Amino acid sequence: MAAPFRIGGLDHIVIRVRDMQRMVAFYRDVLDCPVEKVQDDLGLWQLRAGRTLIDFVDVDGRLGRMGGAAPGREALNMDHFCLAVEPFDGKAIAAHLRKHGVEPGEVKSRYGAEGDGPSLYLHDPEGNTVELKGPGTP
């Protein structure tokens, strides 16, 4: 039996963080995700990534303490998440990342929600892997 709904896309992801200011600065200044909402009482910052939100929860805040130990090399929050970007100019993206002290991975064609398309990986300040992916060919 089919579900009575259809998935329309990723609404938000939540990442538990140790250094809120460093993570917010990285996503805001390097990946151009503006801060949309801050809920200090919860230790929650929400940044806009297109139609999606990236939520940061301070591991020492009210919500973060419920999640246990802080993420690290041996206890990651996730494998990676992928942000769709347009236009995708691999050289320009790599130059922008390097300007901000971020070493980009190799640009390769990878499969995603829109089919095969160019992408590269990078790591945020707390070691989470982020994929930037250009438009695909279905």
Side-chain angles (χ1 to χ4, degrees):
M1 180 171 177
F5 55 84
R6 186 177 68 82
I7 300 295
L10 185 64
D11 183 83
H12 69 278
I13 61 167
V14 180
I15 301 174
R16 298 174 67 243
V17 303
R18 294 181 304 268
D19 187 336
M20 183 68 75
Q21 296 308 316
R22 186 172 177 213
M23 289 290 279
V24 167
F26 177 83
Y27 281 81
R28 182 192 60 222
D29 302 341
V30 178
L31 299 182
D32 201 24
C33 297
V35 175
E36 182 158 314
K37 188 174 184 179
V38 176
Q39 298 182 59
D40 282 326
D41 60 321
L42 297 175
L44 172 67
W45 286 59
Q46 295 175 292
L47 286 77
R48 174 65 58 183
R51 295 180 305 175
T52 302
L53 290 176
I54 300 173
D55 296 356
F56 295 132
V57 173
D58 188 326
V59 295
D60 293 324
R62 189 168 127 204
L63 289 178
R65 285 190 304 270
M66 292 189 280
R73 272 195 198 280
E74 301 301 321
L76 298 176
N77 280 330
M78 68 185 91
D79 180 74
H80 78 279
F81 67 93
C82 180
L83 299 172
V85 299
E86 284 192 62
F88 191 94
D89 179 337
K91 288 181 182 179
I93 292 170
H96 172 75
L97 292 172
R98 286 188 180 104
K99 183 175 112 181
H100 288 277
V102 178
E103 188 56 37
E106 178 183 8
V107 174
K108 293 172 65 169
S109 181
R110 295 181 174 92
Y111 189 77
E114 296 181 358
D116 287 313
S119 80
L120 63 79
Y121 290 100
L122 60 103
H123 292 95
D124 73 18
E126 294 199 4
N128 296 297
T129 301
V130 180
E131 180 181 358
L132 302 180
K133 185 157 185 336
T137 307

